[in-house]
Amino acid sequence: MIKPGGLAGYLAALTGFPSFVNIRASTDTYVGFLPKQSLNRLMEKNPNVLLTLAKRLITLLSPLLLHIDFALDWVQVNAGQVLYRKGDSSDSIYIVLNGRARTINEKKNGVIDIQGEYGQGQSVGELEVMTGTPRPYTLHAIRDTELARMPRTLFNALALRHPEITLQISRIIALRTRTQEEIDYNSGNNEFGKNNTNLKTVCILPVNGNVPITEFAEKLKNSLGRIGENATLLNQESVINVLGKDVFNRMGRLKLISWLAEQEEKVRIVLYLADGGSNSSWSQTCIRQADCILLVGIGDGDASIGEYESFLIGTKTTARKELVLLHAERNCTPGSTRNWLKNRPWIHAHHHVLMRFESPIFDEKPRKNTLMNIKDQLQKYYPKRIPKRSPAIYTGNRSDFARLARRLVGKSVGLVLGGGGARGISHIGVIKALEEAGIPIDMIGGTSIGSFIGGLYARDSDNVAILGRAKVFASRVSSKWRQIMDLTWPRTAWFTGHEFNRGIWKSLSDTLIEDFWLSYFCITTNITWSRMEIHKAGYAWRYIRASMSLAAYLPPLCEKGDLLVDGGYMNNLPVVVMKSMGADTIFAVDVASHDDTSPVYYGDSLSGFWVVLNRLNPFSKQTNIPSMADIQSRLAYASSVRPLEDAKNTPGCFYMQLPVQQYGTLEFNKFDEILKVGYKAGKEMLKKWKDDGKLNHLLDQNKSGDKRGIRRRNSV
């Protein structure tokens, strides 16, 4: 209760942190207020005002808070500085006040695994302090970071006086441990640590001076606003206008750091635009302040290391780095992405973004052998003028900038497509229903037939484009003549796999997964090492073919001496893998067959001729004898029971089981029928979730996320 003459709100004004309480007038009240800017000017002229307010604050705080404040150590570390190493004594808990820290596991063979990243307000080291065990990982600062260090003695004292603190920390530890165990079991890698979503600051760094970086930054900021995230964009000019031209010298650095920390408190995410030159103090500040660095380049331009990149490498920052490739048209030249990535092994992820710009055909810097370079440049840009594909262009929440914005704030939408043979044709209907509902798809993955449909969609991000290719593939697979021509002596499999390979290759050609417009992965089973493999790079048709290789039907795919078969044997619906890649909302489409638990009796041996005659007999009571395809499908489902249950219980997962169980695994000849069933079921489920208000966070309120027509690039 604040009585006449009392003060309120000065704690937030003094510290710059948002207020922890709401103040409401219980009666009609006259209130005088002092803006923070005026208070700052007053304290600069009269420092005694600050001391008076601080003294008054101490009288209002409880003895417990004063005890904690006295016992806490305030630690400020530079980027890359190690706070503790693996095996050190666990003597304290660290709380991140400002900045970002990372835990890593340094193995004996020199490999470093990222275990987790911790942003503002998060704590690290609780489990070791509670159990008294040595540090399991090494903790270092990603950027200039301010932390509070809570000694073990203080924690023990608080636990005795306030047991609820121990209970709350135990819940945090249990949740973090359970999440990590699920990720390790289902994904088999440490991608979870590389895709933390609690980012606060992002540095936008061009590869070279030819990149339209200012326009890119403005579009990204606007997209963050469209998805409901408050963001601010800082460049060299805006900072100098506020803090003066001497802000980058030694005397102004302290003021700059304090002001930047204040900006981070005001908004959800801060964008640092490195527009001050490759070796400027502002560019160095942008890199040192970044939780994540977006390296922006022109997709069809020169892939060599630029001057800004050279400066970035010299800073030796450990912040996560993601490559953004800008394209003037919505297509990616095959193999161009690999040229960018092969020189940059330190890139964690890459994104393809459509942005209209006028790019110079020739680089500004002089080159040797000019005539040959002119030829190479013309060959590179001529196909761009007359491309073969003309996918649709999207705006609103389905635009590429909106997709990138959701990635930065941890709101990415993933689509997971399960395996099920011909029943997977219904995936196309679900994708069509999602597009019509205005729901964006930022990343996609799948198993078996789900990997094929998902790959087609990830390549062009357009449902119309995949319909024709999928139909041609279905007609080839269902052709009896092609099946007969592909038969072989069943030593390893019934078919050679040549016709099947040809069908997939005709749909995807030599496209690399890195060139897909959307982030994509597919699942295979490595029967050499008895483990699940996750493929996110390489020739798409090979890994998709491996993910669809039913044992006994197709020979395993050879990959560096290992044998890869259908991914459904390990994980038929890889939702947790998608979660580990950073997706927040996931639509999981299950087309597996139902468990047929009806009893089957045919004795201790079985004749295939008898089975055929039995099925032709309308009076036979034994009609549920499974075929080889049915047995393979049941085997795949049997080993995917736990991953399927984990998928249903994953937070943020919308599970969709389509009513296509009546169709057989190899009934690709019923393409149109299965497609309509999937579309109808998808529409109904999405309508139900929309009516229940579960999809409001995904829909564009301005209704501008729809397709704005298809422009044929090869038209006049």
Side-chain angles (χ1 to χ4, degrees):
M1 178 67 70
I2 303 173
K3 298 181 179 180
L7 297 177
Y10 56 88
L11 176 61
L14 285 175
T15 62
F17 287 87
S19 177
F20 297 101
V21 296
N22 296 324
I23 301 177
R24 184 178 59 184
S26 58
T27 61
D28 294 341
T29 308
Y30 289 98
V31 179
F33 67 93
L34 184 65
K36 186 178 185 305
Q37 293 79 3
S38 301
L39 179 62
N40 290 339
R41 290 195 298 267
L42 184 62
M43 288 187 297
E44 287 180 1
K45 294 180 179 180
N46 302 289
N48 290 334
V49 174
L50 175 61
L51 298 177
T52 302
L53 291 176
K55 183 177 179 180
R56 180 181 178 87
L57 175 62
I58 292 175
T59 61
L60 299 178
L61 294 177
S62 68
L64 175 62
L65 290 179
L66 293 175
H67 178 63
I68 294 175
D69 180 66
F70 177 77
L72 285 178
D73 293 331
W74 305 93
V75 182
Q76 189 165 2
V77 295
N78 297 325
Q81 185 173 336
V82 176
L83 291 160
Y84 59 76
R85 294 192 179 276
K86 182 178 180 180
D88 290 351
S89 175
S90 303
D91 57 354
S92 57
I93 298 174
Y94 287 92
I95 304 170
V96 181
L97 302 178
N98 183 39
R100 194 172 185 83
R102 173 187 291 154
T103 52
I104 60 175
N105 185 19
E106 299 174 295
K107 297 183 178 179
K108 295 181 179 180
N109 57 1
V111 177
I112 297 178
D113 289 335
I114 299 175
Q115 299 300 318
E117 294 184 2
Y118 305 88
Q120 189 178 69
Q122 293 184 309
S123 58
V124 57
E126 312 96 327
L127 179 59
E128 304 93 82
V129 170
M130 292 184 66
T131 58
T133 56
R135 300 289 189 184
Y137 309 119
T138 298
L139 177 69
H140 73 268
I142 296 178
R143 63 183 178 99
D144 295 346
T145 304
E146 186 178 1
L147 307 99
R149 178 179 173 271
M150 179 185 292
R152 183 194 299 172
T153 53
L154 173 61
F155 176 78
N156 293 337
L158 292 176
L160 290 176
R161 296 183 58 183
H162 302 277
E164 63 273 13
I165 294 178
T166 305
L167 179 61
Q168 184 64 27
I169 292 180
S170 299
R171 289 174 179 171
I172 295 174
I173 295 173
L175 180 61
R176 190 179 297 168
T177 303
R178 179 180 178 183
T179 303
Q180 188 63 49
E181 286 179 351
E182 290 178 352
I183 295 296
D184 293 341
Y185 174 82
N186 291 281
S187 63
N189 61 7
N190 291 313
E191 288 297 313
F192 179 72
K194 299 178 183 178
N195 291 282
N196 280 358
T197 56
N198 54 344
L199 300 176
K200 192 67 178 178
T201 58
V202 176
C203 170
I204 303 176
L205 187 73
V207 172
N208 51 51
N210 295 331
V211 180
I213 194 68
T214 302
E215 182 184 356
F216 170 84
E218 290 291 345
K219 288 180 178 293
L220 180 58
K221 178 179 178 294
N222 294 336
S223 296
L224 285 166
R226 289 189 65 89
I227 64 175
E229 298 293 344
N230 190 14
T232 186
L233 176 61
L234 301 179
N235 55 26
Q236 179 172 287
E237 182 181 1
S238 64
V239 173
I240 292 178
N241 289 339
V242 175
L243 300 178
K245 62 181 180 179
D246 298 327
V247 67
F248 298 115
N249 59 27
R250 182 177 298 179
M251 297 299 295
R253 177 171 172 78
L254 184 60
K255 186 176 181 180
L256 173 63
I257 294 175
S258 176
W259 185 79
L260 292 178
E262 185 177 336
Q263 303 309 305
E264 294 179 23
E265 291 294 335
K266 292 180 179 179
V267 295
R268 166 63 181 84
I269 192 166
V270 179
L271 302 177
Y272 288 89
L273 177 59
D275 60 346
S278 58
N279 297 316
S280 66
S281 298
W282 170 244
S283 297
Q284 184 178 7
T285 301
C286 292
I287 294 173
R288 291 182 65 90
Q289 289 292 123
D291 292 340
C292 176
I293 298 174
L294 293 183
L295 188 63
V296 186
I298 299 177
D300 294 325
D302 185 10
S304 60
I305 301 294
E307 60 270 19
Y308 281 86
E309 277 185 288
S310 300
F311 179 70
L312 171 64
I313 297 173
T315 61
K316 298 181 180 180
T317 177
T318 58
R320 192 174 79 203
K321 306 168 189 69
E322 299 192 2
L323 177 65
V324 179
L325 297 178
L326 304 181
H327 301 269
E329 301 290 347
R330 195 179 174 84
N331 75 306
C332 182
T333 304
S336 60
T337 309
R338 174 169 286 186
N339 293 333
W340 282 90
L341 296 177
K342 69 181 181 181
N343 297 327
R344 300 167 175 86
W346 32 268
I347 291 292
H348 291 94
H350 69 278
H351 312 276
H352 296 286
V353 173
L354 172 66
M355 193 178 89
R356 305 295 188 190
F357 58 89
E358 294 295 331
S359 60
I361 294 183
F362 303 106
D363 294 338
E364 295 179 356
K365 58 184 180 181
R367 293 172 175 264
K368 297 181 180 180
N369 199 359
T370 306
L371 184 60
M372 294 301 298
N373 281 297
I374 291 177
K375 177 183 177 182
D376 293 340
Q377 292 286 350
L378 290 177
Q379 288 179 346
K380 179 171 63 177
Y381 280 89
Y382 182 74
K384 197 172 87 172
R385 303 296 179 186
I386 313 178
K388 298 180 180 179
R389 301 197 303 266
S390 54
I393 299 173
Y394 300 104
T395 58
N397 71 336
R398 295 184 62 195
S399 69
D400 296 329
F401 279 95
R403 167 165 54 88
L404 183 58
R406 284 188 292 269
R407 164 75 176 181
L408 294 177
V409 298
K411 292 185 176 180
S412 294
V413 182
L415 176 63
V416 177
L417 306 178
R423 294 183 292 271
I425 297 171
S426 57
H427 291 319
I428 304 175
V430 174
I431 294 175
K432 181 181 179 182
L434 288 170
E435 285 191 343
E436 292 180 355
I439 295 175
I441 299 175
D442 302 325
M443 44 202 349
I444 191 167
T447 299
S448 194
I449 185 67
S451 69
F452 175 69
I453 301 298
L456 292 177
Y457 188 77
R459 179 188 181 186
D460 294 323
S461 185
D462 185 13
N463 189 58
V464 176
I466 72 174
L467 182 60
R469 294 189 179 96
K471 197 162 189 176
V472 170
F473 171 77
S475 66
R476 291 179 64 96
V477 174
S478 59
S479 171
K480 300 298 183 183
W481 172 251
R482 293 184 185 276
Q483 292 179 13
I484 294 174
M485 293 297 295
D486 202 40
L487 280 173
T488 186
W489 180 258
R491 174 68 178 179
T492 302
W494 283 102
F495 301 98
T496 67
H498 174 75
E499 289 294 333
F500 195 82
N501 296 351
R502 191 68 179 169
I504 297 178
W505 187 88
K506 280 185 171 294
S507 301
L508 295 166
S509 188
D510 285 329
T511 306
L512 298 172
I513 295 179
E514 302 95 305
D515 294 327
F516 282 179
W517 200 258
L518 299 181
S519 297
Y520 169 83
F521 72 89
C522 65
I523 300 296
T524 63
T525 300
N526 188 324
I527 60 175
T528 302
W529 296 99
S530 301
R531 68 189 181 198
M532 181 179 69
E533 301 284 358
I534 303 172
H535 305 282
K536 295 183 288 184
Y539 286 104
W541 79 267
R542 284 181 53 82
Y543 295 122
I544 290 175
R545 190 279 204 195
S547 185
M548 300 175 68
S549 301
L550 279 175
Y553 270 81
L554 295 172
L557 185 77
C558 297
E559 175 66 17
K560 297 179 180 179
D562 295 345
L563 299 179
L564 305 180
V565 296
D566 198 304
Y569 294 118
M570 292 293 292
N571 194 340
N572 200 46
L573 197 65
V575 169
V576 181
V577 177
M578 177 66 76
K579 196 74 172 180
S580 71
M581 293 178 62
D584 179 56
T585 302
I586 301 174
F587 291 91
V589 186
D590 185 11
V591 294
S593 58
H594 281 311
D595 284 339
D596 185 3
T597 58
S598 58
V600 179
Y601 303 101
Y602 55 75
D604 296 331
S605 60
L606 181 64
S607 170
F609 299 105
W610 177 83
V611 173
V612 173
L613 295 175
N614 185 67
R615 290 185 176 181
L616 296 176
N617 184 4
F619 303 102
S620 175
K621 298 181 180 180
Q622 191 62 265
T623 59
N624 60 342
I625 299 176
S627 63
M628 285 193 296
D630 294 332
I631 294 175
Q632 292 291 341
S633 178
R634 293 191 189 188
L635 282 172
Y637 184 76
S639 57
S640 298
V641 172
R642 176 174 172 177
L644 181 59
E645 293 302 318
D646 291 338
K648 296 178 182 178
N649 298 324
T650 300
C653 177
F654 292 89
Y655 176 73
M656 309 169 73
Q657 186 173 37
L658 303 185
V660 292
Q661 286 71 28
Q662 68 273 22
Y663 300 102
T665 304
L666 300 178
E667 290 186 325
F668 286 93
N669 57 323
K670 298 181 179 180
F671 185 94
D672 294 330
E673 185 179 343
I674 299 175
L675 175 62
K676 291 179 181 178
V677 173
Y679 175 69
K680 180 180 178 181
K683 291 277 287 186
E684 292 175 351
M685 282 184 275
L686 291 175
K687 183 179 183 303
K688 180 179 182 300
W689 289 329
K690 186 176 181 181
D691 294 341
D692 294 340
K694 297 180 179 179
L695 303 179
N696 292 341
H697 65 291
L698 300 176
L699 302 177
D700 192 345
Q701 301 300 325
N702 296 324
K703 304 294 183 182
S704 60
D706 297 330
K707 196 182 299 184
R708 296 298 182 89
I710 299 178
R711 181 174 68 84
R712 300 289 178 181
R713 299 198 199 99
N714 56 350
S715 63
V716 176

